[in-house]
Amino acid sequence: MVDERGGYSGLWLTQLDFGGAQLEAIPYVGAQRALAPDLRLDAVLSGYIYDANVFGRNADYSEVSLALDWRRLLGVRFAAAFDSYGGAATTPSAELTARYPLTDVCDLVASGGFDHLAHATTYDVGWWSAGVRYFIGRHLVADLRYLDQLYVNEIH
């Protein structure tokens, strides 16, 4: 349906080892709207919250993003993060996602992206992930992925 729209919210938790922080929480709220039968637009506001200072400073920040999704198979997302990692810089990022449905409730998912963080962290990050997503219910999804990254354009 072309006028399909709705809001959503969630929380992403990640264990990490990043500059002194061990846990990252990402609460988010978003809205979506169908632009055409096979094309959806998502707008999201996210917060990135760490359990400790990162590299000696408060690293919490917010991010806004816009994404286009075609048939729930291919997606592209562009984002801007404000005061990334306490570095007083706005950092852009881009992501491409592909999905392959295995069943009505289970997908294979792969993503790749680039985060231009050099002004906030002294390096940029290219990354990729692959895994499986399972829809537990109408409002709950389990997403298990392997993630790897490459630091590029490091500034010393």
Side-chain angles (χ1 to χ4, degrees):
M1 188 185 281
V2 174
D3 65 352
E4 177 187 309
R5 61 184 145 202
Y8 56 91
S9 62
L11 175 66
W12 175 296
L13 294 173
T14 304
Q15 184 179 1
L16 48 77
D17 183 9
F18 181 56
Q22 301 294 313
L23 182 67
E24 176 184 63
I26 307 171
Y28 60 88
V29 61
Q32 62 180 324
R33 181 176 180 105
L35 301 177
D38 293 334
L39 190 63
R40 187 179 74 219
L41 176 68
D42 280 310
V44 180
L45 173 62
S46 304
Y48 287 71
I49 303 166
Y50 297 90
D51 66 331
N53 285 344
V54 174
F55 303 118
R57 61 182 177 217
N58 182 349
D60 300 347
Y61 65 94
S62 60
E63 178 183 77
V64 295
S65 67
L66 287 175
L68 285 174
D69 188 85
W70 178 74
R71 292 187 166 187
R72 302 189 193 270
L73 297 174
L74 292 174
V76 62
R77 182 180 74 91
F78 298 97
F82 305 100
D83 194 24
S84 298
Y85 305 110
T90 298
T91 57
S93 63
E95 174 183 340
L96 181 62
T97 300
R99 298 174 195 90
Y100 181 79
L102 296 174
T103 69
D104 288 345
V105 295
C106 188
D107 294 339
L108 294 178
V109 184
S111 297
F114 182 78
D115 298 332
H116 182 60
L117 301 171
H119 296 292
T121 63
T122 70
Y123 53 82
D124 295 328
V125 177
W127 60 271
W128 68 274
S129 70
V132 64
R133 182 174 60 177
Y134 180 76
F135 295 86
I136 297 168
R138 181 179 169 137
H139 302 289
L140 187 60
V141 177
D143 194 337
L144 181 62
R145 296 194 210 184
Y146 174 80
L147 171 68
D148 203 355
Q149 59 192 14
L150 172 66
Y151 300 102
V152 293
N153 300 329
E154 192 164 349
I155 301 170
H156 296 283

